[in-house]
Amino acid sequence: MSRPLPLLLLLSLPLAGFSHASLAATAGELRLAVPAHGADDAARRGWIAGRVTNTEGQAVEGVTVALKGTSYGASTQENGNFRLAAQAGSYQLVVSSIGYATQEVAVTVTGGETITLPAFALAVSSQALTEVTVTGQKSLNQRAMTVGKLPVPTLDLPQSAVTVEREVLEQQQVLRLSDALVNVSGLYVTSTTGGTQEELGSRGFAYGSNNTFKNGVRFNNGIMPEASSLERMEVLKGSAAILYGNVAAGGVLNLVTKKPQFERGGSVGLRVGSFGFWKPTVDVYGAIGDSKKAAFRLNGTYEQGNSFRDVVKSDRVYVNPSLLFELSPKTTLVLEGDYLRDNRTPDYGIGAINYEIPASRTRFLNLAGANNATTQTSATATLTTRLNNTWSLRGVAGFQRYDNELRSASRPTNIVSTPGATYGNWNRGLQRSQTSENYYLAQLDLTGTFNTGFLGHTLLVGADADQYQTNSVAFTTPESALRPGTAVTVYDAINILDRNKELAQPAERLSSFDQLVRNSLTKGNTRRAGFYVQDLMSVSEKVKVLAGVRWSYQETPSDVFNYNTIANINNKIANTYVETRRYDNAFSPRLGVVYQPIKTSSVFASYSNSFSPNSGIDTDGNTLRPSIIQQYEAGIKNDLFNGALSANVTAYQIVNSDQAQTIQPGAPNFNESRPSAQELAGEVTSKGVEVDVQSKPMMGWSLITGYSYNHTSYTKTNTYINGSRLRYNPAHTANLSLFYNFGSAFGDTFLRGLNAGVTTYYVGDRVAGRSTRVNVANDTYRLIEVPNYVQFDASLGYTYNRVGVRVKLANILDELSYNLHDDNSVNPIAPRNFSATVSYKL
């Protein structure tokens, strides 16, 4: 079945010559690409409407309705209706679907009018299926990515890119982003700190909030994003600094939410699963009233569940409203909101003893009353206008509010212990923090497609500015009443291996989180701006060159208020106010060459760099300049078997030759008055290979598979062992998703609505813990070896009329491994578990 084109992709289509206005007018009904060449004339646009049934008069969904010799097309909805837009003219309308005899009829489209055709009654075809041609779905390499900002297929870009569409996410019953990693090689979970978030990484670099986007706007990933609202997931691997400034070198992730549609519809559903999990969802959309100019969509869900981990529980509420306005045939406005309230038990896992993991899946070391409460609210406005046949303008304004309050036992940092009566004993403390953040963004992109002599250009000129306003309150332990001048630091004493073991408790103990006192208030107000230009030049039919540069400016003020606490008095910073200001700017160039020997294949090579601001000072007290990270990438992209299968291979090397490290005592430039001074003396090198293979649905089958190899290590360092691996990055990952949709090939039998599939994901060996320091006498830091694992899942789904049922068995092999942050958040992966979803289409 063909799929709806996401709205943000529709907004970018005019730059490649697509019919944007007609798309917006029929959003939710148009499901095939419109012509790839030629501009749309709003005055000459008309519509074709109709209905398709079988010979018994029952509506047939998913039938392809297309204008022969063009890319104008649609597919029928649940009620059999279709509606498509086209330029005025005479065409042959072809109505086709697997298992049915094709019908063809002549139609004439008149500008400004809607032609309603008599119903088509399709007869079951008795012909054997010898070949299946899939239309209406673009291959992995033919899709354009909104996060890439250029309206061109990724086949034309000298960079690895992967998109995962909504149908795949639904088919795999994705609940968290970590469930979707099976579709992207080299993208992995680095840690799940406190069990409240999923921190992702790629090519040896973490995807922080700077690298994570929703609808093209950065969002705080301190909370797990909601997956039920996703239209697709976009991963642009490698450097994206030219587009977004100081992003990490591994790549960027963009989550695109579902968009409004003019045809009324939607669904309601309920997901239940192991450990008391349940999650109702609702998704409704349609035109506002009878308008053809305004449409809405509303996604929402509530989630509640316990966990395979003792005591751990969670609940969350999510609402995602959006509006689409067609302000004119050339201009659209999309307004989107996002609200997420998430409460869950913070869970720092099972602990580590002597930098080894004492195996367990359920051991819980926090307090039953601990809570991590987060609220995240955002709003985005996207205005797109086609100025003429050459130029298009896109403006984005965004706002996000993030609030978090944490009350938890202290993290179980690695326990140094010797075998015996006290082995595994731990004095448990309390921690508390409050964080609030306002984020503002304004972005403007001008894109154009034109020729200068023999050169063809797809030009992007843009500017952006954003601002983070943060307030962070840190709490510390109070002064002892029995021992003035010292602090009460312990809540209780426990044994992490045997929670029932009775231990002697301290004479004076903390009794509650409310005993903790304010230690500091940190106010940040980071302001950034950037200007960039990028040109994809067609030198010939086979050779393309992508060149561009960005200039970025960043101002990072920080105001720290230290309160009168025992902790601060001991560190001689009581009752102080510290103000710091730093200003950074950097150029980020990009150059790439693409050679396409045939239209479905490309070979590319590229160079780019990114930058990372440094917060430290040098031995003279001056701020450090940003670290510059060089990145080299080369690869091959292929669309095989008439675009049915995309197979891409990429090799890369990333070198951070200016990594900030603390100047060690005894070094010639060491300054005793500034013992924490830093120098740009470190070098980290990441190199690897990635393979991504993705198919269109063909004769019911769909395939996604991949493999990645990465080695990230210190190649120069004054602190750690040269050649030692950086933490959290698996040396190998591999993924496979194989599904079969029985579909219409089985006629009107009960098998028609059945689909089944398997997914498997392999994560190779990793290291965590703490890197050994070569310049510290008797250093106790050690790395922790993290076991590799294979996760194997099976899914089964059945759809009858408007009702769908899906079941999933995850981690069938019941593999045990862990996600680690340092040595203080050792979180086991989930055991074998079951889930089931029932949905009803409105």
Side-chain angles (χ1 to χ4, degrees), residues 363-400:
R363 183 168 58 244
F364 179 71
L365 303 180
N366 210 332
L367 305 174
N371 187 49
N372 186 82
T374 306
T375 302
Q376 190 174 48
T377 307
S378 66
T380 305
T382 305
L383 181 70
T384 304
T385 183
R386 183 164 53 84
L387 303 176
N388 52 42
N389 293 339
T390 299
W391 296 98
S392 183
L393 193 65
R394 182 173 183 265
V396 179
F399 167 77
Q400 179 186 140

Side-chain angles (χ1 to χ4, degrees), residues 492-823:
D492 63 0
I494 65 171
N495 185 280
I496 72 167
L497 299 177
D498 182 3
R499 292 295 309 277
N500 295 319
K501 186 175 181 179
E502 293 188 7
L503 303 179
Q505 301 297 321
E508 188 178 20
R509 300 163 49 189
L510 296 170
S511 61
S512 71
F513 297 109
D514 292 330
Q515 275 191 281
L516 301 179
V517 295
R518 286 193 173 203
N519 189 52
S520 64
L521 169 63
T522 302
K523 293 187 175 184
N525 191 15
T526 300
R527 293 183 284 269
R528 299 182 293 202
F531 302 90
Y532 46 94
V533 59
Q534 181 173 264
D535 191 8
L536 179 63
M537 295 171 283
S538 297
V539 180
S540 68
E541 186 178 348
K542 296 183 177 181
V543 178
K544 294 180 173 65
V545 176
L546 180 65
V549 66
R550 175 192 179 99
W551 178 78
S552 297
Y553 169 81
Q554 180 165 319
E555 179 181 342
T556 316
S558 177
D559 301 317
V560 180
F561 300 86
N562 294 298
Y563 298 97
N564 187 10
T565 65
I566 292 299
N568 284 335
I569 290 174
N570 291 338
N571 288 287
K572 301 178 182 179
I573 56 174
N575 288 324
T576 59
Y577 165 71
V578 180
E579 177 181 321
T580 60
R581 296 288 186 273
R582 63 173 295 117
Y583 307 91
D584 295 299
N585 67 87
F587 285 95
S588 301
R590 182 182 189 186
L591 178 65
V593 178
V594 179
Y595 174 65
Q596 298 175 334
I598 57 177
K599 292 183 178 180
T600 58
S601 180
S602 68
V603 180
F604 69 88
S606 68
Y607 163 80
S608 56
N609 72 31
S610 55
F611 69 96
S612 176
N614 290 304
S615 58
I617 58 172
D618 65 16
T619 188
D620 296 320
N622 300 316
T623 58
L624 295 172
R625 62 177 171 81
S627 295
I628 304 298
I629 305 170
Q630 317 287 342
Q631 186 156 180
Y632 307 87
E633 186 170 346
I636 302 173
K637 301 179 184 180
N638 290 287
D639 278 348
L640 307 172
F641 311 113
N642 295 321
L645 186 74
S646 299
N648 303 337
V649 181
T650 306
Y652 60 87
Q653 178 171 288
I654 306 170
V655 181
N656 179 3
S657 57
D658 292 316
Q659 189 178 61
Q661 293 186 335
T662 301
I663 301 172
Q664 299 299 317
N669 57 339
F670 180 75
N671 186 340
E672 291 186 356
S673 64
R674 294 191 178 93
S676 60
Q678 294 182 313
E679 59 182 342
L680 301 180
E683 179 180 271
V684 168
T685 300
S686 169
K687 53 188 175 182
V689 176
E690 297 166 343
V691 179
D692 284 291
V693 178
Q694 193 176 120
S695 78
K696 294 180 181 179
M698 292 292 294
M699 299 188 69
W701 291 97
S702 60
L703 168 72
I704 298 175
T705 187
Y707 165 78
S708 75
Y709 165 77
N710 173 264
H711 183 79
T712 305
S713 63
Y714 292 105
T715 46
K716 290 181 183 178
T717 174
N718 66 12
T719 307
Y720 306 111
I721 298 174
N722 266 326
S724 59
R725 291 172 59 187
L726 263 69
R727 299 170 298 170
Y728 316 128
N729 306 301
H732 304 272
T733 69
N735 57 282
L736 171 68
S737 173
L738 182 64
F739 276 79
Y740 180 69
N741 191 337
F742 289 75
S744 56
F746 288 82
D748 291 326
T749 68
F750 78 96
L751 292 174
R752 179 182 176 90
L754 184 66
N755 63 81
V758 296
T759 60
T760 185
Y761 182 52
Y762 169 76
V763 179
D765 63 289
R766 296 157 288 156
V767 293
R770 297 181 184 271
S771 298
T772 302
R773 299 166 297 182
V774 297
N775 290 305
V776 176
N778 302 316
D779 182 32
T780 60
Y781 282 5
R782 295 290 182 271
L783 292 174
I784 299 175
E785 298 287 337
V786 185
N788 57 12
Y789 67 94
V790 176
Q791 181 159 322
F792 184 75
D793 304 341
S795 299
L796 187 67
Y798 187 77
T799 303
Y800 180 77
N801 290 335
R802 295 173 178 261
V803 179
V805 179
R806 295 180 183 270
V807 295
K808 179 179 181 179
L809 187 61
N811 196 4
I812 295 174
L813 304 178
D814 204 28
E815 291 275 86
L816 175 60
S817 188
Y818 307 88
N819 293 309
L820 275 75
H821 177 79
D822 292 339
D823 54 6

